[in-house]
Amino acid sequence: MDEIVVTTVVYLPREEVYDFLVDFPRYANYSKHLKDVTQRGDGEAGTRYALHFTWWKLNYTAHSKVTELHPPDRIEWRIVRDFRAHGRWRVEELDELPDDAPEDAETACRVFFEVSYDAESADESSFELPRLVSFGWVIDKLKPVLEKEAERIVERVVEDLEGRRRRIDLSVDRRRK
């Protein structure tokens, strides 16, 4: 399993951040490759999402399910077919403002976007590849794209949440489990 963890500080109350993050269909606004999100359910645990991605010459729909909600701390999800992947958003309230907090900041929390995936578990028949293109080549090229997308999503979520553009310090951790 590969794991990507992107974290940063958001200058809003934890509850407000959680309420924003639980709105999955909004994510299409933040991703370069996520074109559309279809929701089946009311947003609670058990809700399923069809996430329509395009990248290079590929079109793919990932099917995910919200597995657990723990307001205002955690949102758990997993991919339900074609390959093994799961993740979560975590929101931790900070007791003190960071030294570099904006002057108007009154509260802060740390947001974590965590994704674990097993690229080797992907069902090759789920992808229509161009002739003479190997599935292994696609997987190798796709890994850095996934990492960049995770960073982009967190940056854009913070900008939208706070309603302003600012320099966002991201911590990105990539691991192989």
Side-chain angles (χ1 to χ4, degrees), residues 40-41 44-48 65-68:
R40 274 193 10 230
E44 294 296 317
T47 298
R48 292 179 178 256
K65 177 182 177 180
V66 176
T67 56
E68 296 178 48

Side-chain angles (χ1 to χ4, degrees), residues 48-172:
R48 292 179 178 256
Y49 296 92
L51 307 151
H52 309 283
F53 291 95
T54 62
W55 171 74
W56 184 58
K57 297 180 181 191
L58 300 177
N59 291 302
Y60 175 71
T61 299
H63 297 274
S64 69
K65 177 182 177 180
V66 176
T67 56
E68 296 178 48
L69 295 175
H70 299 276
D73 304 310
R74 200 170 76 240
I75 302 162
E76 302 272 345
W77 57 268
R78 69 179 169 86
I79 299 296
V80 296
R81 71 179 204 209
D82 298 334
F83 67 99
R84 288 192 313 267
H86 64 275
R88 72 196 51 77
W89 283 98
R90 286 190 301 122
V91 185
E92 295 179 357
E93 193 165 24
L94 298 178
D95 294 330
E96 296 179 12
L97 291 173
D99 292 338
D100 61 347
E103 287 184 24
D104 61 344
E106 296 176 10
T107 186
C109 58
R110 181 163 293 282
V111 174
F112 299 81
F113 180 55
E114 304 168 343
V115 178
S116 295
Y117 64 96
D118 181 3
E120 304 303 317
S121 72
D123 178 1
E124 191 172 336
S125 67
S126 299
F127 301 87
E128 266 188 52
L129 298 179
R131 288 174 36 126
L132 305 176
V133 173
S134 77
F135 191 64
W137 180 87
V138 170
I139 294 298
D140 289 344
K141 296 295 182 191
L142 194 53
K143 283 183 179 184
V145 172
L146 293 173
E147 293 172 4
K148 197 69 185 157
E149 273 298 278
E151 293 176 34
R152 181 180 292 114
I153 287 169
V154 172
E155 285 177 337
R156 291 180 174 174
V157 162
V158 171
E159 183 178 321
D160 206 8
L161 258 167
E162 293 183 348
R164 65 178 166 208
R165 181 167 269 202
R166 66 172 172 89
R167 186 175 161 278
I168 298 170
D169 292 320
L170 293 177
S171 169
V172 181

